Amino acid sequence: MILVINAGSSSMKFQLYKVTNNNYEVICKGLAERINIDGIFTIKFNGQEFQTNEDLSDHSATAKVLIAKLKEHKIIQDFSDIQGIGHRIVHGGEKFTQSTVITDEVFAEIKRMVTLAPLHNPPAIAAIEAFRRIVSVPNVAVFDTSFHTTIPEENYLYSVPYEWYTEHQVRRYGFHGISYRYITKRLREVLQKPAANLNAIICHLGNGASVCAVKNGKSFNTSMGLTPLEGLIMGTRSGDIDPSIHQFIASQTGASLDDITNTLNKKSGLLGISGVSSDLRDVFKSSKDNSRSQLALTMSAKRIAKYIVDYANDLGTKLDAVVFTAGIGENSSEMRQLVINEVKLLNLELSTQANQSSYENEILISTPHASYPVYAMRTNEEVMICEDTYHLINK
């Protein structure tokens, strides 16, 4: 069995897999949320769901509750039933180009990455510390940034003093890499093409969102940068803006740089424009009566389309597919249609029936007249973490 952990600042998602002959079966999954507030623990298995209030004072207490619940529900007899724990780590910098077993040296490096990801890496570090303290099984780090280490320097460097890169590691890192790796792998199977010949544009659209150009099976460019704030208009994140806005707002309001950055991360995007919600479903519902909600949808669709056209130019005539994935990309036929309506140069056309159809893993949603196929495809970051963990501890 392999336990997969995805820790947030006040939450911890988990899935437990049973691995048999390279078959990865989900035994149970769940969520510990409102850590250090009024802990709620949810676990699902065998078609059942149990939710209880628990003492989740920190990530260490949450790890103990998780282990206790697995035993309580007889999902495991003892923690020795679990051979490894895989952790999603958002930022691996330039150091980590692939998943790795967490040794003391590796863990020290992950801690050093906190300066690059002060919002995202600390919860993962807390979870790793908790599980390493409680049980003696191998822990594996799987990095969101590692898929993007193939991006060429003309795409990952910013036009700032070169010393900012050499001395402070200022560069484009990109995120959602575990998802992009899964979609690339799945797309190879669907199109029956070897990785070396696969060229695609993948739109990972959720509350956090990005676009990736995959060239010859590898990341070639992506919309997020040094942090996940760059790129698309997201639920609460601004995406691309004029960097001088920071100084201008500071001079007008007296707000600190930290306050402004926090606003761009947590109070902008769909929420900031619509004034209604960061949830796309709420924005769509209110768009009939709220012109700002309609504006937010239009702006968001245009930004995604801009990146699709830009990356199509990067890939030339070799584009094999455009893929929509993640919560919004997988489930919002309305948003997919809005985006394609804004892509005016590539002759992309969606089938209304296919676009609105339910599906299990993936579905072709473009018409036969489209110049390139367009897919909606469900991502699976957890199984990628499980695979990496299994293979690394069984080397």
Side-chain angles (χ1 to χ4, degrees):
M1 291 187 184
I2 301 293
L3 180 62
V4 172
I5 299 294
N6 186 347
S9 58
S10 62
S11 67
M12 186 185 291
K13 296 179 185 177
F14 65 91
Q15 288 195 17
L16 182 64
Y17 284 85
K18 183 178 181 180
V19 183
T20 310
N21 298 325
N22 285 326
N23 178 56
Y24 300 87
E25 178 190 358
V26 178
I27 301 298
C28 76
K29 60 183 177 180
L31 171 67
E33 54 189 326
R34 298 179 67 80
I35 295 174
N36 201 25
I37 306 173
D38 55 354
I40 302 172
F41 190 91
T42 305
I43 187 168
K44 303 176 183 179
F45 63 97
N46 291 339
Q48 304 175 87
E49 178 177 324
F50 299 91
Q51 186 175 91
T52 55
N53 288 100
E54 302 288 341
D55 174 19
L56 307 180
S57 56
D58 54 23
H59 286 77
S60 181
T62 303
K64 290 178 182 177
V65 169
L66 170 53
I67 294 167
K69 289 295 180 181
L70 292 175
K71 292 179 181 178
E72 176 187 324
H73 292 290
K74 295 182 170 54
I75 298 167
I76 62 172
Q77 298 302 312
D78 188 81
F79 208 80
S80 61
D81 293 345
I82 297 174
Q83 281 72 52
I85 306 173
H87 298 265
R88 175 183 177 239
I89 311 293
V90 168
H91 215 309
E94 290 188 310
K95 175 75 175 179
F96 298 106
T97 61
Q98 58 189 3
S99 303
T100 184
V101 174
I102 301 173
T103 62
D104 290 342
E105 293 75 17
V106 166
F107 196 33
E109 285 292 334
I110 293 172
K111 287 180 176 179
R112 277 193 277 273
M113 298 299 169
V114 167
T115 55
L116 292 173
L119 298 177
H120 296 87
N121 272 24
I125 289 169
I128 293 167
E129 285 179 331
F131 283 102
R132 291 183 91 199
R133 190 180 304 121
I134 297 167
V135 292
S136 57
V137 299
N139 285 258
V140 169
V142 182
F143 300 94
D144 251 333
T145 48
S146 62
F147 182 72
H148 300 298
T149 55
T150 56
I151 293 176
E153 63 179 356
E154 65 267 25
N155 289 339
Y156 73 65
L157 285 177
Y158 292 107
S159 52
V160 296
Y162 195 75
E163 292 73 23
W164 288 13
Y165 168 59
T166 56
E167 296 177 16
H168 306 290
Q169 297 81 54
V170 173
R171 55 159 288 177
R172 180 179 309 282
Y173 288 98
F175 301 90
H176 299 135
I178 304 170
S179 173
Y180 289 130
R181 187 154 63 97
Y182 175 84
I183 294 296
T184 300
K185 178 182 177 182
R186 183 67 191 141
L187 195 57
R188 292 202 316 260
E189 296 166 355
V190 170
L191 298 179
Q192 296 185 330
K193 293 197 71 168
N197 295 339
L198 182 67
N199 300 283
I201 297 169
I202 306 171
C203 305
H204 179 106
L205 307 180
N207 194 261
S210 63
V211 182
C212 180
V214 173
K215 187 172 185 177
N216 300 327
K218 298 177 180 179
S219 179
F220 185 72
N221 210 343
T222 191
S223 58
M224 283 181 169
L226 175 72
T227 75
L229 183 57
E230 188 180 358
L232 304 182
I233 294 170
M234 302 172 231
T236 61
R237 297 177 202 154
S238 65
D240 297 336
I241 62 167
D242 182 342
S244 294
I245 289 175
H246 287 76
Q247 183 183 30
F248 177 76
I249 291 298
S251 67
Q252 296 295 306
T253 67
S256 70
L257 188 61
D258 284 347
D259 288 340
I260 295 168
T261 302
N262 187 61
T263 297
L264 293 174
N265 268 298
K266 298 182 178 179
K267 299 178 183 178
S268 301
L270 293 177
L271 174 62
I273 301 164
S274 72
V276 171
S277 175
S278 62
D279 191 308
L280 185 77
R281 293 166 294 189
D282 296 335
V283 178
F284 264 113
K285 286 177 185 176
S286 62
S287 62
K288 293 180 181 178
D289 306 313
N290 185 337
S291 60
R292 282 175 55 185
S293 292
Q294 184 58 58
L295 177 64
L297 294 171
T298 301
M299 289 175 64
S300 181
K302 281 182 171 291
R303 183 71 61 82
I304 299 165
K306 174 183 174 181
Y307 273 96
I308 291 174
V309 172
D310 183 18
Y311 290 168
N313 183 66
D314 272 352
L315 299 175
T317 58
K318 300 177 182 178
L319 181 61
D320 294 308
V322 175
V323 179
F324 289 95
T325 192
I328 293 169
E330 294 170 15
N331 300 308
S332 179
S333 59
E334 299 97 332
M335 195 62 193
R336 293 192 298 253
Q337 187 65 67
L338 282 180
V339 171
I340 295 303
N341 288 347
E342 296 294 340
V343 181
K344 305 182 190 305
L345 294 180
L346 300 181
N347 187 34
L348 300 180
E349 182 178 90
L350 298 189
S351 160
T352 301
Q353 180 178 355
N355 188 39
Q356 295 177 358
S357 296
S358 59
Y359 66 101
E360 186 173 351
N361 296 315
E362 65 275 326
I363 185 172
L364 178 67
I365 58 175
S366 52
T367 70
H369 306 294
S371 296
Y372 308 100
V374 181
Y375 288 88
M377 188 172 289
R378 301 199 185 280
T379 193
N380 192 337
E381 294 164 296
E382 289 77 16
V383 78
M384 298 305 295
I385 297 171
C386 179
E387 284 187 21
D388 284 4
T389 302
Y390 176 76
H391 290 301
L392 279 168
I393 67 176
N394 285 287
K395 273 189 173 181

